[in-house]
Amino acid sequence: MSPSVPSRSARRHTVGTLCVLLAVGVVITGLVQAAPSTTPRAIDPRIAAVMRKPDYRHAQWGLFRQDPRTGKVTESRYADQFFIPGSAAKLFSVSGTWHTLGSDHRFVTPVHAVGQRRNATLKGDLDLVAQGDLTLGGRTRKDGTVAFTTIDHTYANDVPGATLTPENPLAGIDQLARQVRQSGIRRVDGDVVVDARLFQPDPGLDPVPTPLIVNDNVIDLLTTPGAEAGTPAGLEWRPKVAPYHVTSSVRTVAAGKPSDINVSSSPDGTRIQLSGTIAADSAPVLRVSAVKDPNAFGRTALIEALQRAGVEVRAKAVGRNPVRQLPRSYKGAPTVARYTSPAYAQYAKLILKVSHNLGANLGICLMATSAGSTNCNDGFPVLAKFLDHAQVDRKAVQLADGRGGNPADRTTPRAMAQILTYWQRTPEARRFRTSLPILGVDGTLADSCRNCPSRGKVFAKTGTAAGGDLLNDRLAVGAETTAGYLETRKGHFDVFFAGVNGAATPTADITGVLTIANDVADVAAYLQQQAAGGH
């Protein structure tokens, strides 16, 4: 399905959060045009043909390819100039979090019984102590892996084709509730409290990570067309937690007409309204609405889950999270339930495959907590120390968030190659490499080069920074980048960067951005083919 072209005023609000490959809300800035660094060999004519396209008339391309074993550079163009990385910046933040926590780290979220037990009754509170678990069971498959789709639901309002994973977003909450019941508690003569003191949410990180995250802190809204034009559209939504309520006035229009569905909500986010149209021949269209108070949402979700599990809670399910009742410590308060997450490497795979912005920003806060701080900004010194350890030229990297969406974020192609080289020299080289999108196979590279010789031989993080050029009624693509590994022969991988800053689309249609993304993917494929000796 091709996306409809939004109005000029609508683009002012929507274009800033383009995604799949996109780094959301980046401010496009001018670029210094420096002479290319010495190129060891002539640029492949297929790559040169891409660079000469009209979309890149005023743009700057960067290329870098290196053998991490020998250090030999075989492609270098603007290798030491700053580029806007977009979401390729996640290579740094996820690497730092991975190294800090460990690939096998698991988040254990406990529920404590605070008070006195009298037979099956707890005279006191149940406290859920949030641990920064990214999914809390909401994406975990039966085999313990974390599920994802090609276009993640967190991007549903901005990119066509976003879909849901089939897993129950309340799975972890339900498990905790059942364990409370199994502990022998049947009645809580008190309250349920979410302890979110792990770290303070930082509004400088967008999206803002929170210690408790359920369903990525969004409500999923799935619209399906009616039987014929003029009929109401169908609606399914999840997770259903009080007092959230969703209504829809979306109407079905004739086949071939544009689908245009808008979402609005009350100031507290609990009253959600969908409006607009959906074509009769359309696939289901997904939208999301933000959960404004994740702690109150989680508290209510747990109370409702306890009730489903057969545990009566005296306190009302809907209300503010009563943080003033939290104890200074849980010494003497038994753990009556705990949810254990998959290994962090599974979360890293999710973040890198789908370019999960919330998860990347969360990593900054988790690095801070590893240093004993509740201030997310204290995660950056931890990241800096890791980059020094990884022999990355830290002055060639600028980061103010974890996802690559801050206007200050910059990096050089060579610095990206350095972080990629670091992983190749560790025992987890394969685990990290296969966590990246794979060309023509999965993640943000799933739909590129499906039938080309490089399919399955390019492992790379993608990134985009785009915004509306209202003056020219088009999209300004500040960055389209990719960085990762090229399989040059069996078991041998070169590190590479390919990207363009300062491109523009012909019109305001979002498909123009995806065309540029495909061009960059093609350049990566040509680099792989050249490295493998094929043309």
Side-chain angles (χ1 to χ4, degrees):
M1 179 182 68
S2 297
S4 59
V5 178
S7 68
R8 186 181 296 263
S9 60
R11 286 197 299 275
R12 189 184 301 273
H13 298 288
T14 61
V15 170
T17 50
L18 297 174
C19 48
V20 180
L21 312 172
L22 282 66
V24 180
V26 173
V27 176
I28 308 304
T29 63
L31 297 167
V32 177
Q33 295 290 332
S37 52
T38 302
T39 305
R41 61 195 297 176
I43 293 177
D44 187 304
R46 297 169 296 179
I47 296 176
V50 173
M51 292 178 175
R52 288 195 296 266
K53 287 185 177 183
D55 287 348
Y56 312 120
R57 180 181 177 186
H58 303 294
Q60 173 175 295
W61 279 86
L63 297 174
F64 192 80
R65 176 164 65 88
Q66 184 178 33
D67 184 331
R69 293 182 182 177
T70 66
K72 182 181 178 181
V73 175
T74 48
E75 199 76 58
S76 181
R77 179 181 175 86
Y78 298 113
D80 297 302
Q81 299 297 309
F82 269 140
F83 279 75
I84 300 170
S87 285
K90 292 181 175 73
L91 287 170
F92 298 112
S93 60
V94 172
S95 292
T97 310
W98 185 316
H99 179 267
T100 301
L101 299 179
S103 59
D104 292 322
H105 174 80
R106 296 175 187 269
F107 300 86
V108 180
T109 302
V111 174
H112 293 280
V114 181
Q116 299 295 319
R117 287 277 297 270
R118 293 184 180 177
N119 297 322
T121 298
L122 172 64
K123 297 287 187 178
D125 299 335
L126 287 175
D127 289 4
L128 184 158
V129 185
Q131 299 294 313
D133 186 330
L134 179 58
T135 70
L136 201 63
R139 293 181 187 246
T140 305
R141 301 186 183 101
K142 290 183 179 180
D143 63 1
T145 60
V146 172
F148 59 88
T149 61
T150 298
I151 305 177
D152 194 63
H153 76 141
T154 55
Y155 289 135
N157 291 356
D158 306 301
V159 176
T163 53
L164 295 171
T165 60
E167 287 71 27
N168 174 14
L170 296 177
I173 295 288
D174 285 341
Q175 284 193 35
L176 289 170
R178 289 194 295 269
Q179 288 181 36
V180 171
R181 176 72 163 74
Q182 291 165 6
S183 77
I185 295 175
R186 302 291 186 273
R187 176 180 171 84
V188 178
D189 280 346
D191 213 324
V192 171
V193 191
V194 171
D195 185 342
R197 293 177 291 187
L198 182 68
F199 61 80
Q200 296 298 316
D202 185 349
L205 298 174
D206 179 20
V208 179
T210 50
L212 180 69
I213 298 171
V214 177
N215 199 43
D216 298 309
N217 292 342
V218 298
I219 303 294
D220 296 316
L221 312 160
L222 191 66
T223 299
T224 54
E228 58 185 15
T231 59
L235 172 67
E236 296 178 17
W237 62 281
R238 71 176 202 182
K240 289 184 169 65
V241 174
Y244 283 77
H245 182 70
V246 183
T247 58
S248 173
S249 60
V250 177
R251 305 290 294 181
T252 307
V253 295
K257 294 276 189 177
S259 296
D260 186 10
I261 299 175
N262 300 304
V263 180
S264 60
S265 69
S266 59
D268 66 356
T270 63
R271 294 293 181 267
I272 302 168
Q273 171 69 40
L274 282 78
S275 61
T277 59
I278 185 170
D281 59 346
S282 171
V285 174
L286 182 65
R287 294 287 185 266
V288 294
S289 186
V291 171
K292 301 290 181 67
D293 188 342
N295 296 331
F297 182 86
R299 172 187 174 272
T300 299
L302 181 54
I303 291 175
E304 292 179 340
L306 287 165
Q307 292 169 345
R308 291 192 295 270
V311 179
E312 180 185 356
V313 179
R314 187 183 67 179
K316 293 182 179 179
V318 176
R320 292 185 177 182
N321 185 44
V323 293
R324 293 183 178 180
Q325 296 173 207
L326 291 172
R328 291 186 176 182
S329 77
Y330 291 99
K331 184 177 181 180
T335 300
V336 293
R338 56 170 57 89
Y339 177 78
T340 302
S341 77
Y344 177 75
Q346 280 292 315
Y347 284 166
K349 186 175 184 178
L350 168 67
I351 296 166
L352 294 170
K353 291 286 189 184
V354 307
S355 205
H356 196 283
N357 290 326
L358 181 63
N361 278 348
L362 176 64
I364 301 296
C365 300
L366 294 175
M367 282 187 278
T369 65
S370 75
S373 175
T374 60
N375 185 339
C376 290
N377 279 339
D378 288 334
F380 288 103
V382 178
L383 177 57
K385 185 177 181 180
F386 161 70
L387 293 179
D388 290 341
H389 164 76
Q391 298 182 10
V392 174
D393 179 3
R394 187 150 46 90
K395 299 300 182 183
V397 182
Q398 295 179 176
L399 288 178
D401 65 3
R403 69 180 180 88
N406 190 284
D409 294 347
R410 297 287 189 279
T411 185
T412 68
R414 194 183 304 274
M416 286 206 159
Q418 289 168 345
I419 190 62
L420 293 161
T421 296
Y422 162 79
W423 283 109
Q424 278 298 93
R425 296 171 177 170
T426 71
E428 295 192 302
R430 183 181 182 278
R431 197 174 193 181
F432 182 81
R433 183 177 63 252
T434 55
S435 294
L436 300 173
I438 303 174
L439 187 67
V441 177
D442 64 16
T444 55
L445 288 173
D447 295 327
S448 299
C449 210
R450 280 183 174 268
N451 299 308
C452 78
S454 298
R455 183 181 186 272
K457 298 176 182 179
V458 177
F459 306 76
K461 182 70 194 77
T462 59
T464 305
D469 176 5
L470 300 184
L471 178 67
N472 297 295
D473 196 25
R474 62 182 182 178
L475 302 179
V477 184
E480 189 65 53
T481 59
T482 184
Y485 303 97
L486 308 171
E487 186 171 15
T488 60
R489 60 183 184 275
K490 187 173 179 60
H492 187 278
F493 301 88
D494 280 2
V495 295
F496 85 99
F497 169 92
V500 59
N501 275 188
T505 61
T507 69
D509 194 323
I510 189 178
T511 55
V513 179
L514 303 181
T515 298
I516 294 174
N518 283 330
D519 281 347
V520 173
D522 285 345
V523 169
Y526 296 146
L527 286 173
Q528 186 278 328
Q529 292 163 34
Q530 185 184 55
H535 295 281

